Amino acid sequence: MAKAIQKITLDRSEDIPFDKLELSQKNVRNIKAGVSIEDLANDIALRGLLMSLNVRPVLGDNDEETGRYEVPAGGRRYRALELLIKQKRMAKTEPIPCIVKRGASTSVEDDSLAENVHRLQLHPLDQFRAFQTLHLQGLGEEEMAARYFVSVSTVRQRLRLASVSPRLLDLYANDEMKLEQVMAFSITNDHVRQEQVWDTVSRSHVREPYYIRRLLTEAAVRAADRRAVYVGVEAYEAAGGVVMRDLFEQDQGGWLQDPALLEQLVFEKLKTDAEALKAEEGWKWVDAAIDFPYGHASGLRRFYGERTELSADELARYDEVKAQYDKLDADYAKAEDYSEETETRLEELGNELDRLNDRPHVFDLEEVARGGVFVSLDASGELKIERGFVRPEDEPAGEVDDADDGDNDGNVGVATSVTGGISVNGKPVAVETQEEEDDKIRPLSDRVIEDLTAARTIALRNALASDPIMAFVAALHAFVLKTFFLYGSDSCLEVTMQSAKFGQTQGLGDTVGAKEIEQRHEAWGHDLPKTPAELWDYLVALDEASRQALFAHCVSLSLNAVVQPWNRRPAAIAHAEQLARSIGFDMVDAGWTPTVDNYLGRVTKAHILQAVREAKGEQSAQLIDHLKKPDMAREAARLLEGSGWLPEPLRLAVDETPAVQSNDDAAELVGDNVVEGADADLPAFLAEDADSEDAASEGAEVEEHRHLDPAE
């Protein structure tokens, strides 16, 4: 006969006055964790007790119940109720729902441990969705934060996570996606785009959150971009633009999702600012653009304003403030202790002196009537205003040199579209033909080499300008070559003060070297006399150090180390290498680093992998060799950052010439051997024949070099 299965009976619930309860000392929870007792008390006051207390009768000497009960499970709830009684928010005789356990087969410690261990934490996704449901029911973010004892930002984060594509949330619920990946997807509300990016990353080896964020924002514009700063994020949003925000990491203001709208707002604001400037200052024309190519003012005469003189009152105030500053500074230098008050006062006096010194420049009204202004955006999003340019056709009759006719390098008027003297963003955009992508490392394109060497020329000019001694030597070298060596007059200096133009190379004006050259040129322009007739006396009276600095600046502007397909000049480039070594020049020190725009996005995948392999090793190259070219270029830029890697046209050629030569050895270099030996110092990208799939084309290039040799 089968044995009957014993039925389970559960302990009954009773309402017991709180003053009949006491906390058991056998509760296994001794370490504070989770919501505080104060917060739990407030929650009980709001919604009542959601879970009964687990109690056992306190027995007397004869194992009889005494009418009191101990609480082994639910200790935090007991303390919260106790706090409410102390705060007189609840009576001490208030009945408390309790599960009374009599004749238990398990110990008090066993029950306390089971209640805490068997409690299953809510899955984060259930929590996110619950917050979303409460929000849809009308509960505000601040109220939810108060109810659940979290910050408002935490509530916003959970609501944002709940708004991610349901398909991706299902993957997260099934442990096919990590929480960090869901957080990365939350920066946009576009479910279609979220799913597209997931389909992309799920097929690749790179699934890191940073990569997901990069793909989601690749078509957006950062709020720190100069265009966004200029227009203002508030104005962009007021025009209907959407800003993507990352609630989980620093995003520097987020990403503007509509670049076309942003560009439209920039052009409208630029036009307004240009019209206001033209009307206020009386210029004949104002050209405005987000950016101008480097050398955009080539062929235009530049004139400068004169700083307004201090009035008698301003001069007296300047002398007074300067005396106060000098006395306070001298006394503070003798003091032994630091004084914050003195430091603050010195700063105030210094700022006032700067305000008095920083007076506006006043331009000649006749020049203003025929001159113009270039208005663009600097790197910080502020207006960059370049005043005082005169086009050749606006010069007074008879003042234009006939030799300059048409010698504007095509730059004058190309970047403008004139409408009543105002033009906005009229410059043409050069279209560059992309190389066919394959695994073979082909020679760099002529355009890439030209742009790289243009950047190197700018940086080398800037370095030469800071070394007056070598500038003198470089100029003297060119003069002696032209005087004594009839067939050896090649130099990287165009000492007739011709200056190579780099109008097609984008971004040159934002480089460190170009900015320093521009600032130096601007400073000298304000100091020099206004007419050529006054220049000689000015130079004679100039102190030696200033004269050397001016000489170095002028000589540096003639330096040309650009390699162009129609003007390679191997001997001149070899001389540029010698000059660079002499002044200790290096492109890494000059601030150049490979980016998508200046190199990695313009060469083949094979070149990109070669760069990463050379800088970081084969393992790093294998991490990105499966990516598409745009993604590969971006990842390579990240890997190469700070590595000091340079492409071949920017590297300094290794000098294999012995450090010390005898007189006989030096004598052998005189004459024809000077020219023939120049190839030994050529960079590899010039000294070696470029690979080509077209044998006839290769032969033509060799023949061209053969014709160039006698001239060099």
Side-chain angles (χ1 to χ4, degrees):
M1 181 176 178
K3 185 177 180 181
I5 299 177
Q6 186 175 359
K7 302 295 183 180
I8 296 174
T9 58
L10 300 177
D11 296 316
R12 297 293 179 262
S13 173
E14 300 179 19
D15 289 341
I16 302 174
F18 183 82
D19 60 355
K20 300 295 184 182
L21 303 176
E22 58 187 58
L23 189 62
S24 173
Q25 301 303 311
K26 296 180 180 180
N27 193 310
V28 299
R29 184 189 291 273
N30 293 311
I31 300 174
K32 294 181 179 179
V35 177
S36 69
I37 298 300
E38 291 79 5
D39 291 340
L40 182 56
N42 291 329
D43 190 69
I44 292 174
L46 172 69
R47 69 183 82 254
L49 194 64
L50 298 179
M51 187 182 301
S52 302
L53 300 182
N54 188 306
V55 303
R56 294 190 180 210
V58 176
L59 303 178
D61 295 336
N62 298 325
D63 291 337
E64 295 180 354
E65 295 185 9
T66 62
R68 298 191 63 80
Y69 300 85
E70 64 175 347
V71 184
R76 298 182 73 253
R77 278 164 280 156
Y78 175 88
R79 292 186 184 279
L81 294 169
E82 185 179 45
L83 179 61
L84 289 174
I85 293 173
K86 288 181 180 179
Q87 295 174 346
K88 300 189 181 303
R89 300 168 67 186
M90 189 179 81
K92 63 180 180 180
T93 58
E94 176 70 22
I96 307 300
C98 300
I99 302 295
V100 183
K101 194 167 187 178
R102 294 181 172 90
S105 60
T106 56
S107 66
V108 173
E109 293 85 355
D110 193 2
D111 286 356
S112 177
L113 180 63
E115 185 190 53
N116 289 284
V117 170
H118 294 167
R119 182 184 303 164
L120 182 63
Q121 293 292 336
L122 194 66
H123 191 281
L125 182 55
D126 291 329
Q127 187 182 114
F128 306 154
R129 286 171 169 165
F131 270 70
Q132 186 182 49
T133 300
L134 292 176
H135 191 55
L136 293 174
Q137 291 174 354
L139 207 60
E141 295 174 351
E142 291 78 7
E143 190 175 355
M144 279 193 285
R147 283 192 182 186
Y148 296 98
F149 315 110
V150 295
S151 66
V152 175
S153 63
T154 299
V155 173
R156 289 172 180 163
Q157 288 175 344
R158 293 172 181 175
L159 291 174
R160 179 70 68 85
L161 290 170
S163 67
V164 172
S165 165
R167 174 190 162 198
L168 302 187
L169 292 180
D170 289 342
L171 292 173
Y172 171 54
N174 296 326
D175 294 329
E176 297 179 48
M177 184 184 294
K178 297 178 181 178
L179 178 59
E180 291 77 8
Q181 293 171 315
V182 180
M183 292 162 60
F185 279 111
S186 72
I187 65 175
T188 178
N189 294 323
D190 188 342
H191 289 180
V192 174
R193 182 59 182 154
Q194 290 173 349
E195 293 172 7
Q196 288 175 344
V197 170
W198 173 250
D199 291 339
T200 298
V201 299
S202 62
R203 293 192 297 267
S204 79
H205 301 290
V206 184
R207 300 186 182 184
E208 299 302 320
Y210 79 88
Y211 186 56
I212 293 172
R213 288 184 175 90
R214 180 174 296 175
L215 292 179
L216 288 171
T217 59
E218 62 182 352
V221 177
R222 277 199 171 275
D225 184 275
R226 59 180 174 174
R227 295 167 293 174
V229 173
Y230 175 61
V231 170
V233 175
E234 296 80 7
Y236 166 80
E237 290 181 309
V242 177
V243 179
M244 296 188 293
R245 298 301 306 266
D246 192 338
L247 299 184
F248 300 93
E249 291 193 4
Q250 294 293 331
D251 62 6
Q252 288 80 45
W255 297 265
L256 281 64
Q257 198 168 351
D258 192 342
L261 174 61
L262 177 62
E263 293 264 318
Q264 177 186 339
L265 295 175
V266 170
F267 296 150
E268 291 174 355
K269 193 169 188 293
L270 275 174
K271 180 181 179 181
T272 301
D273 290 342
E275 290 174 343
L277 180 66
K278 182 175 182 291
E280 180 180 351
E281 300 185 8
W283 299 98
K284 181 176 182 180
W285 53 267
V286 176
D287 280 356
I290 295 176
D291 197 9
F292 288 105
Y294 189 78
H296 60 281
S298 174
L300 306 184
R301 176 172 66 85
R302 181 78 183 271
F303 63 93
Y304 297 89
E306 295 183 357
R307 197 181 297 275
T308 56
E309 296 294 335
L310 290 172
S311 66
D313 291 340
E314 290 173 333
L315 188 58
R317 179 57 183 167
Y318 180 88
D319 293 339
E320 179 185 350
V321 174
K322 186 69 166 63
Q324 292 180 22
Y325 183 91
D326 291 342
K327 184 179 184 306
L328 185 60
D329 187 46
D331 293 342
Y332 189 45
K334 298 176 183 178
E336 296 181 357
D337 298 329
Y338 169 80
S339 172
E340 183 177 356
E341 182 181 354
T342 304
E343 291 277 357
T344 303
R345 181 55 181 161
L346 282 172
E347 184 177 358
E348 292 173 353
L349 293 172
N351 290 337
E352 186 169 359
L353 289 174
D354 289 341
R355 284 194 296 271
L356 290 169
N357 279 323
D358 189 17
R359 302 182 304 283
H361 290 89
V362 178
F363 292 83
D364 181 87
L365 294 180
E366 291 185 5
E367 292 279 40
V368 169
R370 68 170 68 97
V373 179
F374 292 103
V375 176
S376 58
L377 300 183
D378 64 16
S380 63
E382 298 292 330
L383 273 185
K384 177 182 178 182
I385 303 176
E386 302 171 271
R387 296 177 173 88
F389 295 91
V390 180
R391 293 167 174 162
E393 62 268 24
D394 295 329
E395 293 283 11
E399 293 188 9
V400 181
D401 189 346
D402 293 338
D404 292 335
D405 288 347
D407 187 19
N408 295 325
D409 300 307
N411 288 326
V412 177
V414 171
T416 64
S417 176
V418 179
T419 306
I422 303 294
S423 64
V424 179
N425 208 51
K427 65 177 183 179
V429 179
V431 179
E432 183 174 329
T433 303
Q434 294 291 329
E435 295 183 40
E436 180 183 354
E437 294 187 12
D438 54 30
D439 294 333
K440 183 178 180 181
I441 299 179
R442 303 181 181 280
L444 297 177
S445 70
D446 290 336
R447 177 62 190 279
V448 171
I449 291 177
E450 181 176 350
D451 287 351
L452 290 174
T453 52
R456 185 172 189 265
T457 296
I458 290 295
L460 187 52
R461 282 180 175 183
N462 189 48
L464 181 61
S466 62
D467 195 336
I469 295 177
M470 289 312 303
F472 271 115
V473 172
L476 183 60
H477 170 263
F479 294 152
V480 172
L481 281 177
K482 290 184 179 296
T483 303
F484 296 95
F485 300 90
L486 185 60
Y487 299 105
S489 59
D490 291 284
S491 169
C492 67
L493 301 188
E494 298 172 351
V495 290
T496 57
M497 297 317 299
Q498 297 175 358
S499 183
K501 308 302 185 298
F502 318 111
Q504 293 183 340
T505 302
Q506 299 297 321
L508 273 185
D510 293 329
T511 61
V512 175
K515 290 179 179 178
E516 292 183 0
I517 290 173
E518 180 182 5
Q519 293 170 1
R520 189 164 51 244
H521 197 79
E522 187 87 6
W524 278 115
H526 285 298
D527 289 343
L528 289 172
K530 303 306 176 187
T531 63
E534 302 173 283
L535 180 60
W536 177 257
D537 292 338
Y538 173 85
L539 294 177
V540 170
L542 202 61
D543 64 90
E544 188 63 27
S546 298
R547 192 184 301 139
Q548 288 185 354
L550 177 58
F551 177 83
H553 174 67
C554 294
V555 169
S556 70
L557 293 183
S558 74
L559 189 149
N560 183 6
V562 180
V563 177
Q564 297 167 307
W566 50 271
N567 190 24
R568 294 186 180 275
R569 307 175 304 126
I573 300 304
H575 173 238
E577 295 292 318
Q578 294 173 330
L579 189 150
R581 284 195 296 270
S582 298
I583 63 177
F585 172 78
D586 181 78
M587 279 298 285
V588 176
D589 296 337
W592 194 92
T593 185
T595 65
V596 175
D597 292 333
N598 68 13
Y599 182 75
L600 298 168
R602 306 174 59 189
V603 297
T604 64
K605 294 173 67 173
H607 282 109
I608 298 174
L609 293 174
Q610 181 189 34
V612 174
R613 193 175 292 115
E614 291 177 356
K616 293 293 185 178
E618 181 63 35
Q619 186 175 3
S620 295
Q622 292 177 357
L623 291 175
I624 64 172
D625 60 3
H626 64 284
L627 298 176
K628 293 183 178 179
K629 182 178 174 180
D631 297 332
M632 180 186 290
R634 283 192 292 268
E635 288 304 305
R638 185 177 64 85
L639 290 171
L640 294 175
E641 185 175 358
S643 67
W645 180 88
L646 295 173
E648 181 67 26
L650 300 186
R651 298 176 188 174
L652 194 62
V654 179
D655 186 3
E656 299 179 355
T657 306
V660 179
Q661 292 180 331
S662 66
N663 291 337
D664 292 340
D665 293 336
E668 292 179 0
L669 296 177
V670 178
D672 294 339
N673 289 333
V674 173
V675 177
E676 296 173 2
D679 289 342
D681 289 329
L682 284 180
F685 70 93
L686 285 180
E688 297 177 1
D689 288 336
D691 294 335
S692 174
E693 294 179 333
D694 189 343
S697 176
E698 180 178 3
E701 183 176 352
V702 172
E703 186 64 25
E704 179 186 354
H705 286 188
R706 199 172 291 147
H707 287 304
L708 285 175
D709 286 342
E712 299 297 331

